[in-house]
Structure formats: C-alpha cells, structure tokens
Amino acid sequence: MQDLSRPDSISSARLRVLVIWPPHVPSYFNAGHHLGLFEVGAYLRQMREVAEVKCVDAGALNLTWKHVGDLLFEQFDVIAIMNEFDALEGFGRIVRYARALSPGTRIVTFGRLSSQVPGLFERYDIDAIVHSGDYEAGVEAFVRRVAGTPGDLPGVAVQEGGAWVQPTQPGVFLDPQTWVLPDIREIPYDAYMRLYLSDQNKFCGIPERLELVLPVARGCPLQCEYCDVPAREGLRERRLPVDRAVRYIEDSFAAAPFEYIAMYAPTFTLNKKWVHQLCEQLTARGSRYPWKCTTTSHHLDKDLIAAMARAGCVRISIGLETLDPMARKSLPGLKQTEEERFDLVAQWCRDAGVELNCFVILGMPGGSVEGSKHTVERVRENGARVRPTIYTPFHLLRAEMDEQEVQAYNRQIFVDGVSPDEAADLYPLYFGKDPRLTRVMERIPKSPAAARQPAPEAEAGAQAGAGG
C-alpha cells in the first residue's frame, strides 16, 4: 500500500477512476440503493484532476471475477468501491484482485455499510474510508488528495504510515443545486428490470416494466431506530428543484424506453408543497409518466393522494412497519399508525385507483407473533400489497464482527431478540409463495420500444458515458 503522506507517491497527472459495485448475490434489490455508484461517477467527471471515470455495477450485471480482473488490469489510479449491507462477501476479494493486478492503485470505499460502521473496513488493504457526508463529497476529497491538490478530507479516514487517521471534521452534505444526476446510458436498467421480474421476491420494482430512478431527496427527520438514513444523509431534508426533476424525466424518457419512474426519497411527501408543484407540472404534460413513491401514512391526505393519482402515480408505498400496539411504541410518534388511520389511507388510495404497498417489519421489539400476523392480515383485508421484511437491528453492528456475522444482518433472517419458536412462526409470513401478487403493471402502458435488447456486455455498461 502506498503512503498518502509521502509527496513522491502523489500523481500529478489527470487521474483515471473506476467506481465499482463488487460481484455478489443480493438478498434484496432496490435500484435506488445502487444509484449512488453512478451519482459519484457523474460528480467526479466535473473534476479538473480527473481524465476518465468508469462506473460498473458488477453485482447487477452478474460479472465473473475474470471480467472484474480484466477491468482492474487496466491500471486505474483510483478505485472507489461501493459497499452495502448485504454485499460484503465480494469486498475482500475485489481488494485482493486490485492489489495483485494494479498494486499502485489507491482504493477508497463508500456506501451504506461504511456509513454505519466505518471501522469494519479498517481490516482491509485499502487507503481510505468515507465515514460520513454525501458519497460524492467524500470520494471527491480523496481523489483530490491522490492528485496532489491541497485540501481537507472531511468525513474520510485514510491509512498513512500503516495507521488509520480518523476524520477531523464531519462529512459534507451537498446542496441539491450541486447534485449531478446520473447518466442513464451507463446504468444497467435492463439488468435491474430482470431482478424485478418475480413479485414473489417482494423487491421494490414493478415487474415487466422498465424503471427510471429519479433521486428526489436526501435526509429525513423521523429518526427510526432501524433506518440508517438520518445518520447517513442528515436530519434536514434536501430536495431536487421541481423543474430539474421534470427535465430529467423528460430527457430520460426521450432517450430510452422507460415505462415508469421510481421517485427515490426517504419520505417523498414530507414536503407537500413540492409534491403538489410536481403533480401540477406532470398533469400539465398529460400525466404520461407513471410513477411510484415511498412515504408514511402521516404525510398523506385525501387531496394529496388524489392529486398524485391525477399526475400518474400508480403506487404509494408507506412505512407501516406494524399495527401491533406494543411494537408501535418503539417507533417515532409520527410513525405510530393507528388502525383507523391506516384504514382511512387505504380507502383514499382505493378511491384514487392507486396501489397501496405496505412495508411491514416482522419481529419488532416489544411485538408478538400474533401482532405481526394481524398486521399482515389487516393490510390484505384493505386490498393492499404486503412488502414484509425481517427486523434487523443495524445499530448493533460492530467493527469487531467477522464477515459472516455482518452478512447475517440481511433483513431476511433473525439475528437478535426473537426465540427460535417465534422465528419459526414468523418466517412463513416472509418466505414461501404469496397468492396475492401485484397487477399494478397493467396500469402502466408498455413503451412502443418495449422489445428488450439483450443484456449489454459489461464493456458497454462500463464505458457508456465514461468521458472526461
């Protein structure tokens, strides 16, 4: 490993950067979680110190390790590896390949897992870890350091002289005006679509239709214990200007055969004024862009849902979590949904012709098996879709855990607080066949160009939009 504290180890030439998601088998898939890969790449391309950026989602593309090795053999100056809660099994291997095939390359990691437990990554042979702040800001600061440009490293730990130097200041939260929206040409959306084909998986996408992900907002003030967003993105919400969001939608649909939009935001309707403005613009364009979003029941009302439906909304997902009175106590006040309130929101959605999708957490602290079963039954009685997940206490993750322990925190198996008997009663609510699969795709017209092309070769996915 090269020492960043040594002036002779710093490159003065413009740099070549690889931003990569390692190969892995996902336990869950949400294209929005992968979007940070391409947002970082797009942001780095603005830098005068950078000559080229390649972005590769090796996980979604199901790349072989030979293919990844070929990429690493191209001798990039910096490799930025995106990390994730359920993608750790490929992390050590990609680092070993990089050190063997491109020993002079600097390696930085960023992602949801390093934001939650950054010390976990100090065991790997890498040069930097983004602890906090927006991914783009952290990776940019490290790339500038590698290029020899003076400046601080807010939110970034670096390894120097064989020891880890911790950040001396928190990471930077970028103003939405400075966000660089990802280049759709390099995102393997067809591969993402294939991951959504079976609704039995209960992944976030809509089967049989091509999704465009629009990164609407970052940050959330709700502070749910089981959610990493407030700590990672801040308690103050930051939101894309409406005009810019609409322009990205129009440009993207004109360039590719997208069929609906995923409005990617922690709590989409937190800013109701913004949502009404967006709906007005989409309705004025003939409501020709179907879309879905995620929010809470508290941040919905009848008029807002009706306006969203008129603007093309086909699915609203809410973080219901539980209707168990005892389990509800562990939720923030605004998330403690009473059954009467839930019934009302469900009725508003039915009246507007919008599918209601309910995130339900099984095995929440203080709850019971009967409470989880009742929640699932009540959701189905209201004609809504159940999107279950297993309670996973991410706040218990520790840097000392080994990879197998960390990978158990996958929202599919219980790791804490539930007895074997309780787990055996709860798993049938998550695993197995659900006879009530979504048909919301029937409300989304197929694109005239819907004849799908074969999956792009990895080179195409890596090189598209990779200019300086």
Side-chain angles (χ1 to χ4, degrees), residues 287-306:
S287 304
R288 62 182 184 271
Y289 305 113
W291 52 280
K292 68 181 183 71
C293 66
T294 298
T295 187
T296 75
S297 61
H298 175 84
H299 295 94
L300 291 169
D301 59 59
K302 184 177 182 178
D303 291 342
L304 181 62
I305 291 173

Side-chain angles (χ1 to χ4, degrees), residues 219-239:
C220 181
L222 298 185
Q223 300 190 72
C224 299
E225 179 191 57
Y226 49 82
C227 180
D228 67 308
V229 169
R232 178 167 50 85
E233 299 182 358
L235 296 177
R236 182 180 65 84
E237 192 200 61
R238 296 162 288 148
R239 194 167 282 241

Side-chain angles (χ1 to χ4, degrees), residues 297-298 300-301 337-345 348:
S297 61
H298 175 84
L300 291 169
D301 59 59
T337 306
E338 300 286 343
E339 294 199 25
E340 294 76 11
R341 170 68 182 181
F342 170 66
D343 293 342
L344 192 59
V345 171
W348 292 338

Side-chain angles (χ1 to χ4, degrees), residues 16-222:
R16 299 179 66 241
V17 181
L18 173 65
V19 189
I20 189 166
W21 183 296
H24 78 119
V25 178
S27 59
Y28 173 75
F29 186 78
N30 181 335
H33 293 348
H34 289 235
L35 211 64
L37 179 83
F38 305 100
E39 290 175 304
V40 167
Y43 196 83
L44 296 181
R45 291 187 184 112
Q46 303 177 113
M47 298 177 62
R48 61 177 178 80
E49 295 93 341
V50 172
E52 178 189 8
V53 179
K54 283 188 177 182
C55 297
V56 181
D57 189 343
L61 286 170
N62 196 26
L63 294 193
T64 66
W65 283 102
K66 169 61 166 62
H67 211 135
V68 171
D70 289 339
L71 278 169
L72 300 176
F73 197 64
E74 294 182 25
Q75 307 298 306
F76 292 92
D77 299 291
V78 177
I79 298 174
I81 305 173
M82 191 167 184
N83 60 70
E84 174 61 29
F85 290 115
D86 72 339
L88 192 59
E89 73 266 22
F91 192 89
R93 187 168 182 176
I94 197 170
V95 170
R96 288 193 295 273
Y97 272 58
R99 290 304 181 204
L101 300 174
S102 184
T105 297
R106 309 296 175 79
I107 301 174
V108 58
T109 190
F110 67 96
R112 295 206 301 167
L113 185 54
S114 62
S115 294
Q116 181 77 29
V117 54
L120 174 71
F121 292 90
E122 293 183 6
R123 70 186 66 178
Y124 298 102
D125 188 10
I126 60 177
D127 299 286
I129 304 164
V130 177
H131 280 224
S132 62
D134 285 344
Y135 302 150
E136 303 98 317
V139 177
E140 177 197 38
F142 178 72
V143 170
R144 289 194 193 282
R145 173 67 63 89
V146 173
T149 304
D152 296 325
L153 289 169
V156 181
V158 293
Q159 189 166 189
E160 295 182 349
W164 281 97
V165 179
Q166 302 304 318
T168 57
Q169 52 187 304
V172 175
F173 290 138
L174 299 171
D175 186 288
Q177 298 286 353
T178 68
W179 295 351
V180 181
L181 296 177
D183 186 341
I184 63 167
R185 296 172 298 170
E186 66 181 345
I187 304 174
Y189 274 119
D190 279 345
Y192 295 171
M193 180 182 174
R194 286 190 289 277
L195 285 163
Y196 290 143
L197 281 178
S198 174
D199 194 47
Q200 292 287 0
N201 289 332
K202 300 298 182 182
F203 293 169
C204 78
I206 295 175
E208 303 174 24
R209 298 295 185 269
L210 188 63
E211 174 186 86
L212 168 71
V213 183
L214 173 59
V216 169
R218 301 179 189 178
C220 181
L222 298 185

